[in-house]
Amino acid sequence: MALWGGRFTSSPAEAVFALSRSIEFDWRLAPYDLRASLAHLMVLEKAKLISSTDAQLIRKSLRELQDEIAQGTFLPAPEDEDVHSALERGLTAKLGATGGALRAGRSRNDQVATDLRLFSLDHMLHIANLVTDLQRAIVAKAGEYVDAPAPGFTHLQHAQPVSFGHELLKHAHALDRDVARIKDWHARSSFSPLGAGALAGSSLHLDPEGVASDLGFTAAIANSIDAVSDRDFVAEALFVLAMIGSHLSRMGEEWCLWASTEFGWAKIDDAFATGSSIMPQKKNPDIAELARGKAGRLIGNLTAVLSMLKGLPFAYNRDLQEDKEPLFDSIDTLNLVLPAFTGMVTTTVFDREKMSASAPTGFSLATEIADYLVRAGVPFAQAHEAAGKCVHTCESEKKELHQLTDSQFTQIHPLLQADVRDVLTVDGALRSRTTFGGTAPANVRSQIGALEGLISSNASWIAGESQRFSGMMGA
């Protein structure tokens, strides 16, 4: 049913109604709209704008609609323009004209802004929970490979040996920042627009702060124009989701490389790989590739909303109808990708021998020579030069650093003694990197313990907020 039309002499053209209609995607806001309606009803009853008798009837009907929507027995009709008109149709079908009383003191402008905030707060908590699941999988896998040496890379070239557990943990730290961003976003977005009306508030004796408290928000938004036109919370949520997607994409790229024949480090479990329709030998890292590909979709959704918001006049404009589909799509995308990616990480097995054999190649121990000279009192610039000459000699003679003779070492620099070979081992290189955040296995184990504490703390926060939110939605 239309929520407007008194000043019009005709219904909208079919093309206009088709363009305006948003019920296909905003129907998923129905549970949140009903919850906000119950809070609004309480205020109307308290202000004696609706009698207690009518309020009881409306409250009962709203709860019936909640159940019917949950059971799938009340659905949108072709004539419904949006979620608000569909629900008012359902309410007036039960109560007649009394069902229209609930519209007093609110507009679709503050109504939809409230619904979308409630939806976002709820679903971002679920995304945070999925991210912590992936973090746990990464930390557990890193724990298996703390003592497994592997080449570390810069520019995709061998750089220095690292603990492979250390290599994996970098992703857990990136994901921790994602959860922290969700927590920050959650605190910044937990403000209620309800009571702002179309843009100017209401002449009726409403209680926006009471409604905000009832819905679990921190407070009501202080400016009614800002309340109906702000979509920072959507853009910021989309940035967080795009950042998660970017992190998954980078992880996916590594898994693709590690699973390649050329690397041969990673064996992806059959349950998290696919085959080829023409080449029977193929085993493809499709989960990693899909995660990498869908990052572009997440970034595109963010770009779409930022482009829509740029230069938008205040207060409400119909352009803001375009805020929902990108947000819904990004949330749905990560709800698909994160569990599959977590399963892939959990079940991947890495080849310790291949990684270890590859760790010293590419002269990745050259820095050990420079550090050896620095400890002997040589300025690093000179030490770096000498280490580079060692590499050049090895390349010319097709040998490894530890194969240089004593005389070759001393010719390159007089302080390069025979015991320099003691530092030219992968194990020694790893154990020596004891600075905070370094790759020494003891450090990596401490890093794992710290991450486990962060994950546990974040999981407690997520569980607490989710439980609180579930309680409010059932109120």
Side-chain angles (χ1 to χ4, degrees), residues 142-150 161-167 169 352 425-450:
E144 296 178 36
Y145 294 94
V146 172
D147 293 313
V162 296
S163 154
F164 191 63
H166 188 62
E167 185 80 58
L169 286 178
R352 294 171 182 269
T425 66
V426 170
D427 182 62
L430 293 183
R431 284 190 288 105
S432 69
R433 296 297 188 272
T434 56
T435 51
F436 181 78
T439 193
N443 286 28
V444 177
R445 290 189 180 91
S446 296
Q447 191 183 154
I448 286 173

Side-chain angles (χ1 to χ4, degrees), residues 208-435:
E209 291 181 323
V211 168
S213 177
D214 184 40
L215 290 174
F217 290 110
T218 302
I221 295 175
N223 183 288
S224 60
I225 300 175
D226 182 48
V228 298
S229 53
D230 167 45
R231 291 300 185 274
D232 290 6
F233 72 97
V234 175
E236 191 176 352
L238 286 169
F239 168 75
V240 174
L241 299 172
M243 198 72 245
I244 294 170
S246 180
H247 288 148
L248 292 173
S249 179
R250 295 183 77 179
M251 290 176 66
E253 170 68 5
E254 286 196 335
W255 246 259
C256 289
L257 286 172
W258 294 339
S260 68
T261 302
E262 284 69 25
F263 268 77
W265 291 7
K267 181 180 180 182
I268 297 176
D269 190 87
D270 286 357
F272 292 92
T274 64
S276 166
S277 60
I278 189 171
M279 295 169 285
Q281 83 282 7
K282 291 297 296 295
K283 184 176 180 182
N284 300 324
D286 280 15
I287 302 302
E289 291 174 0
L290 286 166
R292 192 175 57 188
K294 288 184 183 294
R297 181 174 184 157
L298 297 168
I299 294 166
N301 286 336
L302 169 62
T303 303
V305 167
L306 288 175
S307 299
M308 180 267 292
L309 291 174
K310 183 190 71 66
L312 197 63
F314 288 84
Y316 183 83
N317 298 272
R318 197 59 180 273
D319 312 50
L320 290 173
Q321 182 171 300
E322 297 301 310
D323 59 359
K324 297 170 198 63
E325 287 180 285
L327 179 64
F328 296 163
D329 181 71
S330 288
I331 287 171
D332 291 346
T333 295
L334 285 179
N335 277 332
L336 284 172
V337 173
L338 280 164
F341 207 100
T342 300
M344 181 188 71
V345 169
T346 301
T347 56
T348 298
V349 176
F350 293 95
D351 191 322
R352 294 171 182 269
E353 290 186 8
K354 279 191 176 181
M355 293 190 298
S356 180
S358 189
T361 60
F363 307 108
S364 66
L365 294 170
T367 305
E368 306 309 309
I369 296 175
D371 288 350
Y372 171 93
L373 288 172
V374 168
R375 286 192 292 271
V378 178
F380 185 78
Q382 294 176 23
H384 185 283
E385 182 76 10
K389 288 180 178 178
C390 289
V391 171
H392 177 71
T393 301
C394 287
E395 285 182 322
S396 301
E397 299 185 10
K398 294 182 171 50
K399 60 173 63 172
E400 295 297 326
L401 289 168
H402 68 278
Q403 294 174 323
L404 291 175
T405 65
D406 292 353
S407 62
Q408 284 177 313
F409 274 127
T410 54
Q411 284 173 12
I412 291 169
H413 196 286
L415 292 180
L416 284 176
Q417 301 300 308
D419 65 348
V420 71
R421 292 186 185 81
D422 295 341
V423 303
L424 293 178
T425 66
V426 170
D427 182 62
L430 293 183
R431 284 190 288 105
S432 69
R433 296 297 188 272
T434 56
T435 51

Side-chain angles (χ1 to χ4, degrees), residues 96-117:
T98 302
L102 191 58
R103 205 192 302 173
R106 72 177 182 182
S107 159
R108 284 188 295 181
N109 296 359
D110 63 342
Q111 201 173 344
V112 72
T114 303
D115 297 350
L116 193 55
R117 279 180 187 262

